[in-house]
């Protein structure tokens, strides 16, 4: 149906107004970001710096107590300072033996947060009812969480005697398992042991609650109820367990809250300062410049390769970029290096969606359809591949956002946002522009491009070669990791964010600018460390600069002192070094791994559900694992630093790889439906070869456009950015390779030689009789009672 010109004019006017307004706003935001204006983006420590506060531990403390304190401070930052700073990107880590450092991005006045962070988290066990019988806390039905009743405060509860005990009376709290008497199964619980005074008060409170129809006793930490268990009986000896945990992780979290609420560690603030960006001042400028040039090159490529539709996609891409920048600023979303990776991936997916559509349109025109019909059919037939690819990416973003912490959560936010916007611009803006310009006369089939005819690739026949190449590449990486593990003790070159390192504070005789630090001093330090993972932070209002590197031994520290003295006249007395723990805590590593595993499982289930064949799902996941292993090998062989950027790189590759594979599988699924032949191995091989051939130009185009932006980061970025961009580029290329040469052959092998379908196909053969008995189907976990 031909669109009316009136609607087309209205759409174009609205589009133009949006581009102009958002363009002006985006330019203002970028300008303010580079010049510290009021409308600037919120940036993480790696790009903007922030407040650095150092605490001295008063008295002796065990390693467990220090780790718990670090966890407590991280939680307090997230809960208490969420509206004041970029708390998901905050760093808390140990310095030396008796200090804890806190770094919060975006904070300009360190003193404004000292009082809040310095106050230990308070833990209270609270009776449900006061002495007068009124409720001290109630269940909020809208949130499903308990809260203090109206007018009730901690002070009023203390006066009333409703607080049974506080955290100082907790001796220990551990997550463990106990055998359930009714079923005999082991269930996770929290085991609590109280000190003598607390045990006496708890015995009286539990006796009273148990007599009152098994009433509850709320556990209140840092302004929230973390558990509200029932008292089934009097607890006289001060030892009890809290049941009803959904899993061991919930039990561990509750035990940690109870444990850290009763810590005896006292912290004294000994230093607070404002520090500059960890990656240097040029990191943001060069990243933005690289992104701008990369985006421009992508638009030029789209116009050349896809003519008129490519020009429409380029216009939509401009709006997409403006929307990304505007939303980041309006909703105060923290932008870090991993966040930039998420945006790069979403740009690639925005281009990918358009390429899928345009390829379909050209196919329809080549098949003899009119331009109008080709546009409608192209968008309709591309929809399933676009939705499946983007939904799997959104699954990854959602899981990472819910389970992940720190930079992982920041990556998830930008990835999810970019993915939603990429679908919106591809499916609505690009289509609206094409329909509008079509109504104004852009109806010549030639301006929509011609279909590139490629000879069918003998993919399946050559599968052994492709598998062999992949096995060799992965083997090199594994051998490299084993070799480095044997010689250096570390399979990978873990950065200071993972394994900790050395913090060197240098008091220079002159006030170096941030640019001079990046250009003159950092290269000197890199000669000592022999890697690019050097973080420099200038202390505002002084000549001091803090350099964070991998752990330096005594000889390396002496070498650094000599180089600093020779190059900058720094005396040894002006250099202070101390060891620091990793900013990526064990908790963050654990949640990151769990998030990735859960994401992969969800992807597996989704693809299985959508394609109704688990062989599609398993093949896609195996190809994804192939890409991760190859990238891991690159990190091992080239000894690239494994830090927060590594986590973002792996997550980006997972998102890109699965999206690329689904597009190929979508075409295989379509060709399977459209063939009336028996699904013999020969026919399956022909379908596989044809499907890959039909989608290979799209795969290569998307890979090329995504790689353009990454290549710009490689060329223009600072050393730490380049060290991140290189494996990311390898991962994108590898993801394209695996989608074509690994995932499809794996699916073919599984479909042709594994499972009931393969047996039926082989038995029937191409010359099977037309008249056959109706097969008796038996339900199984793969086909739900139907032969696929």
């Amino acid at each position: 149906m031909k669109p009316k010109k009136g609607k087309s004019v209205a759409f174009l006017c609205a589009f133009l107004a949006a581009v102009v307004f958002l363009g002006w706003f985006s330019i203002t935001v970028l300008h303010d970001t580079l010049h510290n204006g009021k409308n600037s983006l919120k940036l993480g420590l790696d790009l903007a710096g922030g407040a650095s506060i150092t605490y001295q531990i008063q008295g002796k403390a065990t390693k467990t107590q220090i780790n718990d304190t670090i966890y407590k401070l991280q939680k307090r930052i997230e809960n208490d300072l969420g509206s004041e700073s970029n708390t998901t990107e905050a760093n808390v880590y140990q310095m030396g033996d008796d200090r804890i450092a806190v770094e919060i991005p975006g904070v300009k006045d360190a003193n404004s947060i000292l009082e809040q962070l310095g106050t230990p988290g308070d833990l209270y066990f609270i009776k449900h009812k006061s002495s007068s019988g009124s409720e001290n806390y109630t269940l909020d039905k809208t949130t499903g969480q308990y809260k203090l009743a109206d007018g009730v405060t901690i002070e009023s509860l203390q006066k009333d005697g409703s607080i049974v005990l506080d955290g100082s009376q907790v001796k220990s709290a551990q997550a463990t398992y106990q055998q359930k008497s009714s079923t005999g199964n082991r269930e996770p619980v929290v085991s609590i042991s109280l000190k003598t005074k607390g045990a006496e008060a708890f015995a009286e409170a539990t006796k009273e609650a148990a007599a009152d129809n098994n009433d509850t006793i709320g556990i209140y930490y840092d302004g929230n109820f973390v558990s509200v268990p029932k008292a089934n009986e009097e607890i006289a000896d001060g030892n009890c367990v809290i049941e009803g945990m959904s899993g061991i992780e919930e039990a561990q979290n509750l035990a940690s809250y109870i444990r850290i609420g009763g810590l005896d560690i006292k912290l004294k603030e000994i230093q607070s300062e404002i520090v500059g960006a960890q990656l240097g001042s040029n990191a943001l400028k060069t990243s933005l410049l690289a992104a701008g040039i990369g985006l421009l090159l992508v638009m030029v490529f789209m116009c050349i390769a896809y003519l008129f539709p490519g020009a429409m996609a380029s216009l939509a891409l401009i709006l997409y970029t403006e929307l990304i920048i505007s939303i980041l600023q309006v909703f105060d979303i923290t932008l870090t290096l991993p966040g930039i990776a998420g945006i790069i991936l979403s740009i690639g997916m925005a281009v990918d969606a358009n390429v899928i559509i345009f390829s379909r349109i050209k196919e329809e025109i080549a098949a003899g359809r009119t331009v109008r019909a080709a546009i409608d059919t192209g968008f309709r037939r591309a929809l399933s591949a676009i939705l499946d690819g983007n939904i799997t990416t959104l699954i990854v973003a959602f899981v990472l956002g819910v389970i992940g912490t720190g930079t992982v959560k920041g990556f998830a936010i930008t990835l999810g946002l970019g993915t939603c916007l990429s679908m919106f611009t591809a499916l609505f803006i690009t289509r609206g522009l094409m329909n509008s310009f079509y109504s104004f006369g852009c109806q010549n089939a030639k301006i929509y491009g011609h279909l590139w005819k490629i000879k069918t690739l003998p993919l399946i026949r050559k599968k052994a070669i492709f598998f062999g190449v992949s096995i060799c590449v992965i083997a090199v990486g594994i051998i490299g990791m084993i070799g480095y593990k044997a010689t250096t003790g570390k399979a990978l070159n873990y950065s200071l964010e993972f394994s900790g390192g050395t913090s060197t504070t240098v008091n220079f005789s002159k006030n170096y600018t941030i640019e001079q630090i990046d250009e003159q001093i950092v290269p000197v330090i890199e000669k000592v460390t022999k890697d690019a993972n050097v973080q420099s932070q200038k202390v505002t209002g002084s000549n001091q600069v803090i350099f964070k590197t991998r752990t330096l031994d005594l000889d390396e520290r002496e070498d650094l002192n000599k180089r600093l003295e020779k190059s900058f006249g720094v005396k040894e007395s002006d250099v202070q070094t101390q060891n620091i723990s990793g900013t990526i805590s064990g908790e963050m590593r654990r949640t990151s791994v769990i998030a990735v595993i859960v994401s992969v499982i969800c992807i597996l289930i989704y693809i299985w559900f959508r394609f109704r064949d688990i062989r599609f799902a398993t093949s896609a996941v195996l190809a994804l694992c192939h890409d991760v292993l190859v990238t891991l090998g690159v990190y091992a062989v080239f000894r690239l630093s494994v830090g927060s950027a590594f986590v973002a790189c792996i997550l980006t590759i997972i998102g890109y790889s699965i999206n690329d594979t689904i597009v190929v599988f979508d075409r295989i699924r379509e060709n399977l439906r459209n063939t009336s032949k028996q699904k013999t191995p020969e026919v399956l091989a022909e379908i596989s070869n044809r499907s890959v051939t039909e989608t290979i130009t799209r795969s290569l185009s998307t890979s090329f456009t995504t790689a353009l932006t990454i290549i710009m980061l490689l060329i223009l970025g600072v050393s730490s950015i380049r060290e991140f961009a290189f494996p990311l580029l390898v991962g994108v290329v590898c993801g394209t390779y695996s989608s074509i040469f690994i995932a499809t052959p794996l699916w073919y092998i599984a479909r042709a030689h594994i499972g009931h379908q393969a047996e039926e196909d082989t038995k029937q053969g191409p010359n099977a009789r037309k008249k056959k008995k109706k097969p008796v189907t038996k339900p199984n976990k793969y086909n739900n009672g139907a032969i696929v």
Side-chain angles (χ1 to χ4, degrees):
M1 184 177 177
K2 186 176 179 179
K4 296 180 180 179
K5 286 189 177 182
K7 291 184 178 180
S8 298
V9 170
F11 178 85
L12 290 176
C13 289
F15 173 80
L16 183 61
V19 168
V20 172
F21 173 75
L22 291 176
W24 166 80
F25 183 73
S26 300
I27 292 173
T28 302
V29 168
L30 293 178
H31 178 271
D32 286 357
T33 301
L34 294 173
H35 300 88
N36 298 319
K38 64 177 182 178
N39 291 319
S40 61
L41 295 171
K42 272 194 173 181
L43 303 175
L45 280 163
D46 53 357
L47 296 175
S52 176
I53 303 169
T54 304
Y55 292 97
Q56 179 80 46
I57 298 173
Q58 303 296 292
K60 293 183 179 180
T62 65
K63 184 66 176 177
T64 301
Q65 287 178 316
I66 293 174
N67 289 338
D68 281 342
T69 302
I70 289 173
Y71 180 75
K72 176 184 70 174
L73 286 173
Q74 185 76 53
K75 288 297 181 183
R76 286 189 63 78
I77 291 169
E78 293 179 5
N79 295 334
D80 295 346
L81 303 176
S83 61
E84 300 178 28
S85 62
N86 311 333
T87 56
T88 60
E89 307 296 338
N91 290 333
V92 183
Y93 56 92
Q94 183 178 352
M95 295 183 66
D97 297 326
D98 58 355
R99 293 182 179 182
I100 294 176
V102 177
E103 295 176 334
I104 307 175
V107 175
K108 302 302 180 184
D109 181 10
N111 293 325
S112 65
I113 60 172
L114 279 173
E115 185 176 350
Q116 294 181 68
L117 289 181
T119 304
D122 296 319
L123 177 77
Y124 301 103
F125 286 64
I126 302 174
K127 295 179 182 179
H128 181 205
K129 296 177 181 177
S130 66
S131 56
S132 62
S134 60
E135 288 188 316
N136 290 320
Y137 54 83
T138 59
L139 179 64
D140 188 338
K141 295 182 179 179
T142 59
T143 63
Q145 303 293 323
Y146 283 91
K147 65 176 184 179
L148 291 176
D150 293 340
V152 176
T153 63
I154 293 297
E155 289 75 15
S156 67
L157 292 172
Q158 289 173 329
K159 292 180 181 179
D160 180 69
S162 292
I163 292 182
V164 181
L165 53 94
D166 59 28
S168 64
Q169 295 301 315
V170 177
K171 184 186 297 182
S172 66
Q174 299 292 332
T176 184
Y177 286 93
Q178 75 170 11
Q179 191 169 7
K180 196 171 184 179
S181 58
S182 59
T183 62
N185 296 329
R186 295 174 73 242
E187 64 173 359
V189 297
V190 176
S191 175
I192 303 175
S193 178
L194 303 175
K195 297 178 182 178
T196 303
K197 185 177 179 180
E200 294 173 356
F202 196 62
E204 182 180 345
T206 51
K207 179 180 180 181
E208 179 183 326
D212 188 11
N213 196 26
N214 300 125
D215 203 358
T216 59
I217 294 179
I219 303 177
Y220 190 76
Y221 174 74
D222 236 13
N224 296 288
F225 283 95
V226 293
S227 182
V228 185
K230 290 183 178 180
N232 294 328
E233 59 184 359
E234 178 186 355
I235 308 297
D237 60 357
N239 296 307
C240 64
V241 295
I242 300 178
E243 302 174 334
M245 302 293 108
S246 61
I248 190 63
E249 290 179 18
E250 181 182 351
Q252 289 172 339
N253 289 337
L254 178 57
S256 182
Y257 280 127
I258 296 174
R259 194 165 59 242
I260 64 183
L263 284 178
D264 294 327
I265 289 182
K266 300 299 181 183
L267 300 177
K268 179 182 179 182
E269 181 265 323
I270 60 174
Q271 185 178 5
S272 61
E273 55 204 9
I274 301 300
V275 295
Q278 291 176 343
L279 299 181
S281 61
N282 289 330
L284 179 61
K285 295 178 182 177
T286 55
S287 297
L288 292 176
L289 179 61
I293 295 175
L295 193 64
L296 182 62
L297 292 176
V298 167
M299 292 165 61
V300 171
F301 171 80
M302 292 294 291
C303 292
I304 294 174
Y306 295 97
L307 303 180
F308 169 71
M312 299 299 99
S314 297
L315 292 175
L317 204 56
I318 292 173
L319 180 63
Y320 164 84
T321 306
E322 294 173 350
L323 284 170
I324 281 280
I325 296 172
S326 301
I327 292 176
L328 287 174
Q329 197 280 335
V330 171
F331 291 96
D332 285 338
I333 299 173
T334 305
L335 184 63
T336 62
L337 183 59
I340 292 175
I343 293 176
I344 289 174
L345 176 57
S346 62
I347 289 176
M349 296 184 67
V351 173
D352 182 53
N354 284 293
V355 169
I356 295 172
I357 294 168
F358 301 158
S359 298
R360 286 290 193 175
I361 291 174
K362 289 196 291 186
E363 289 176 8
E364 297 302 318
I365 292 175
R369 290 182 180 268
T370 63
V371 171
R372 176 72 266 159
I375 293 174
D376 293 338
T377 306
F379 273 92
R380 177 170 50 82
R381 299 185 70 177
L383 184 61
S384 63
I386 294 172
L387 288 178
D388 287 337
N390 282 273
I391 288 175
T392 52
T393 305
L394 285 174
I395 288 173
V396 174
F398 177 77
V399 174
L400 295 177
V402 172
I403 300 178
T405 57
T407 55
V408 174
K409 187 181 289 290
F411 170 85
I413 291 172
T414 54
L415 177 60
L417 171 64
T419 301
C420 292
L421 290 179
S422 70
M423 280 197 294
F424 169 73
T425 54
L427 296 177
F428 296 100
I429 303 301
T430 302
R431 184 168 191 172
L433 288 171
M434 291 183 67
N435 286 335
S436 297
F437 280 98
Y438 177 88
S439 67
F440 287 111
C442 297
Q443 303 173 7
N444 191 327
K446 292 182 180 180
I447 66 173
Y448 289 84
H450 65 279
L451 188 65
W452 298 322
K453 293 184 179 180
I454 302 174
K455 185 178 179 181
T456 302
L457 301 172
L459 178 71
I460 301 303
R461 182 159 52 88
K462 303 288 186 180
K463 61 183 182 296
I465 298 175
F466 305 133
F467 289 161
V469 170
S470 294
I471 290 172
C472 289
V473 172
I474 293 173
V476 168
I478 294 174
I479 293 171
M481 285 188 281
I482 294 174
Y484 282 116
K485 178 69 174 178
T487 55
T488 67
K490 292 183 179 180
L492 296 171
N493 180 24
Y494 294 107
S495 72
L496 62 95
E497 294 147 312
F498 268 93
S499 60
T502 299
S503 175
T504 304
T505 303
V506 183
N507 192 13
F508 290 96
S509 59
K510 59 177 287 188
N511 189 9
Y512 286 96
T513 65
I514 297 176
E515 290 77 10
Q516 289 173 326
I517 294 171
D518 296 337
E519 296 171 1
Q520 300 176 24
I521 306 176
V522 170
V524 173
I525 298 177
E526 288 178 350
K527 290 179 181 179
V528 177
T529 62
K530 294 180 175 58
D531 71 16
N533 190 34
V534 176
Q535 298 179 1
S536 63
Q537 293 178 310
K538 178 174 170 52
V539 179
T540 303
S542 73
N543 294 346
Q544 286 187 344
V545 181
I546 301 171
F547 300 97
K548 296 177 184 177
T549 64
R550 63 168 178 77
T551 302
L552 303 180
D553 57 31
L554 182 59
D555 292 338
E556 289 173 326
R557 292 185 183 189
E558 291 178 354
D559 183 22
L560 178 59
N561 289 342
K562 291 178 181 178
R563 290 177 183 270
L564 289 174
E565 183 177 4
K566 180 180 178 180
S567 301
F568 309 102
V570 176
K571 297 179 181 180
E572 187 174 343
S573 59
D574 292 326
V575 180
Q576 296 179 345
T577 59
Q578 55 187 328
N579 291 329
I580 58 176
S581 67
T583 57
I584 298 180
S585 63
E587 176 75 11
M588 188 181 297
R589 296 183 216 177
R590 184 179 66 84
T591 56
S592 298
V593 171
I594 292 174
V596 171
I597 293 174
V598 172
S599 299
V600 171
I601 293 174
C602 290
I603 289 171
L604 183 72
I605 294 172
Y606 177 78
I607 298 176
W608 183 5
F609 170 76
R610 284 289 290 144
F611 287 79
R612 300 184 181 181
D613 188 343
I614 197 171
R615 288 165 288 198
F616 277 113
T618 52
S619 300
V621 171
L622 286 174
L624 186 153
C625 294
H626 162 275
D627 300 336
V628 172
L629 288 174
V630 171
T631 308
L632 200 62
V634 170
Y635 270 96
V637 172
F638 291 93
R639 304 309 288 167
L640 302 176
S641 296
V642 175
S644 60
F646 164 80
V647 177
C649 180
I650 295 298
L651 295 174
T652 304
I653 291 166
I654 288 175
Y656 183 86
S657 175
I658 202 70
N659 179 71
D660 208 22
T661 301
I662 281 181
V663 174
V664 180
F665 280 178
D666 182 77
R667 185 59 65 97
I668 292 175
R669 175 176 59 179
E670 181 180 329
N671 288 333
L672 279 172
R673 291 172 179 169
N674 293 339
T675 184
S676 59
K677 298 178 182 179
Q678 296 293 341
K679 309 304 187 299
T680 62
E682 292 79 11
V683 172
L684 292 174
E686 187 273 329
I687 289 175
S688 300
N689 291 336
R690 178 157 49 91
S691 299
V692 169
T693 303
E694 290 172 348
T695 57
I696 193 169
T697 54
R698 165 261 154 207
S699 297
L700 295 177
S701 295
T702 302
S703 177
F704 177 71
T705 54
T706 305
L708 278 176
T709 305
I710 302 174
I711 290 173
M712 289 300 103
L713 287 174
L714 268 174
I715 296 173
L716 301 174
V718 296
S719 57
S720 53
I721 298 288
R722 290 197 297 270
E723 195 171 59
F724 164 73
F726 174 65
L728 188 60
L729 179 63
V730 172
V732 167
V733 174
C734 185
T736 305
Y737 171 85
S738 69
S739 299
I740 299 171
F741 301 110
I742 301 298
T744 302
L746 284 174
W747 172 83
Y748 165 79
I749 292 172
R751 179 65 189 262
H753 303 293
I754 300 175
H756 299 299
Q757 183 63 47
E759 295 174 7
E760 290 297 322
D761 294 339
T762 303
K763 289 178 183 178
Q764 293 173 0
N767 299 318
R769 295 181 182 179
K770 294 182 179 179
K771 189 175 182 181
K772 298 185 292 290
K773 293 182 179 180
K774 185 176 180 180
V776 179
T777 61
K778 295 182 178 181
N780 61 59
K781 64 179 181 178
Y782 297 133
N783 60 21
N784 295 321
I787 293 180
V788 181

